[in-house]
């Protein structure tokens, strides 16, 4: 690495930030990194608005030797913001890492490693117990202690007359069609309720609000195709919504779901019935929880085809006692876990003493019952993977008795679902 590289953090709250060439350059760099077009002025203003609302911290690396305009565009970008993660038992601060890009001219020189290492140190200094990210590739972030902790299914559902839900009790709620321009308060209510009841749910960055009010971040213009169905529960309060577009495909049409958020099982199924009831369209594609009640609610479950189940939220435990005390435990008992961490943050042994669904977790010098690395601890954290599976993968070590005890303590429903993309 040369001395000509400058690592700097932008002050997005500064007056005149939108005209600062480095701010403009930073935005240009992430658009380039994620293969999008150059931002318009209106897009930049919107981006600044949401980045400020989230208190995002945007860091970049500038190459002082780059000529002319290129000098204002960083060769690497990195950002974080802090929201909350529902662990299944509590809501904890989560350090959300995003906008990680390195220019093709500067890749594989250790820029991302330095930005990541320093950033995780900042998270520890800020007393945030865990970090999360989503990854565009599968082999980059393990070395920093992250592991896939939730998955999200991609569905293709036949909504012709073959789509039928089984008889089920109904609660008197109903679905209404809504206008993206004015429905944001209802959608925000649903997001908050969903976060409260869903293990793996993450507080949403502010750009969701702009998008669900009808701004298309990809096209950098008003989204005139976005439609909304909102479910009102028996008390008249919104408890679910689906945001979708419809595309004509020859004689038929395909419904594409962009966002599907519910706080109750009834809302989930009612919104599926609503999607199936859209005339002229016989296919619905879109995301779904990896563990989806729809499968078991259908008369013919084969109308619902899973096209893929990619990993979604990656978790990196930084503070082991705080993170483990915040998650649910499913049996009473005690166990010593020894965690190894290449970056040192989570290194050491802790005694977990669980009782009544929660645990106290304290550092200990006692002999460990079970050993694992921080990456594996992240994978197990939200319950998407069972201890036994990780043990059979050679990722958790201990006697059969100790592994059985760990499984009894740590494994339990509900399975996690994170539908926030960042
Ligand atoms: C992925 C990316 C950020 C890596 O940046 P970089 O500065 O080249 O990475 P570094 O040189 O710091 O490499 C750090 C480590 O990650 C490894 N690594 C980097 N990119 C990798 C990849 N695509 N696959 C596997 N390993 C990778 C390096 O080998 C290195 O390993 P080591 O330190 O253990 O030897 C960069 O290639 C990029 O901008 N890609 C496009 C955008 C993207 O995918 N962003 C991630 C989405 S969140």
């Amino acid at each position: 690495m040369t001395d000509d590289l400058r690592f700097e953090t932008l002050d997005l709250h500064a007056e005149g930030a939108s005209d600062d060439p480095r701010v403009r350059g930073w935005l240009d760099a992430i658009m380039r990194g994620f293969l999008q077009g150059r931002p318009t002025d209106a897009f930049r203003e919107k981006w600044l608005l949401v980045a400020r609302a989230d208190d995002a911290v945007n860091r970049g690396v500038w190459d002082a030797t780059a000529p002319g305009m290129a000098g204002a565009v960083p060769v690497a970008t990195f950002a974080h913001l802090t929201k909350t993660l529902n662990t299944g038992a509590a809501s904890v601060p989560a350090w959300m890492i995003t906008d990680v890009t390195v220019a093709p001219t500067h890749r594989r020189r250790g820029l991302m490693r330095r930005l990541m290492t320093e950033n995780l140190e900042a998270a520890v200094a800020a007393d945030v117990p865990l970090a999360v990210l989503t990854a565009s590739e599968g082999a980059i972030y393990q070395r920093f202690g992250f592991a896939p902790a939730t998955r999200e299914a991609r569905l293709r559902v036949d909504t012709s007359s073959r789509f039928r839900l089984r008889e089920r009790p109904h609660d008197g709620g109903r679905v209404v069609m809504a206008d993206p321009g004015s429905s944001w308060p209802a959608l925000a209510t649903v997001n908050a309720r969903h976060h409260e009841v869903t293990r793996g749910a993450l507080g949403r960055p502010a750009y969701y609000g702009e998008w669900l009010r009808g701004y298309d971040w990809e096209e950098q213009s008003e989204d005139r195709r976005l439609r909304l169905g909102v479910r009102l529960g028996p008390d008249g309060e919104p408890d679910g919504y689906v945001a979708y577009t419809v595309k004509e495909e020859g004689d038929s049409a395909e419904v594409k779901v962009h966002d599907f958020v519910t706080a109750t099982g009834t809302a989930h199924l009612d919104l599926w019935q609503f999607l199936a009831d859209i005339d002229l369209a016989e296919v619905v594609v879109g995301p779904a929880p990896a563990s989806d009640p729809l499968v078991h609610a259908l008369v013919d479950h084969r109308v619902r085809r899973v096209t893929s189940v990619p990993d979604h939220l990656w978790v990196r435990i930084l503070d082991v006692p705080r993170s483990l005390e915040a998650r649910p435990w499913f049996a009473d008992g005690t166990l010593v876990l020894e965690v190894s961490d290449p970056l040192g943050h989570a290194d050491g042994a802790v005694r977990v003493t669980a009782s009544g669904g929660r645990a106290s977790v304290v550092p200990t010098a006692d002999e460990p019952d079970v050993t694992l690395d921080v990456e594996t601890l992240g994978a197990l954290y939200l319950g998407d993977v069972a201890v036994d599976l990780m043990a059979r993968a050679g990722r958790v070590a201990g006697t059969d008795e100790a592994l059985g005890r760990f499984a009894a303590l740590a494994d339990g429903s509900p399975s996690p679902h994170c539908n926030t993309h960042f």
Side-chain angles (χ1 to χ4, degrees), residues 34 100-102 107-113 134 136-137 139-141 143:
F34 292 109
V100 181
T101 72
V102 175
R107 68 200 281 276
R108 307 300 181 271
R109 298 189 200 176
L111 289 184
M112 190 266 281
R113 174 169 277 280
T134 59
S136 56
E137 289 178 50
I140 307 176
Y141 296 107
R143 58 179 51 74

Side-chain angles (χ1 to χ4, degrees), residues 229-269:
V230 177
R231 185 170 109 150
L232 304 176
D235 55 359
E237 288 299 310
D239 63 3
Y241 71 84
V242 58
Y244 64 96
T245 51
V246 185
K247 188 173 73 178
E248 281 192 76
E249 292 276 351
D251 292 346
S252 178
E254 185 176 287
V255 175
K256 183 169 180 188
V257 171
H258 300 273
D259 201 23
F260 198 131
V261 186
T262 55
T264 64
T266 312
H268 190 78
L269 298 181

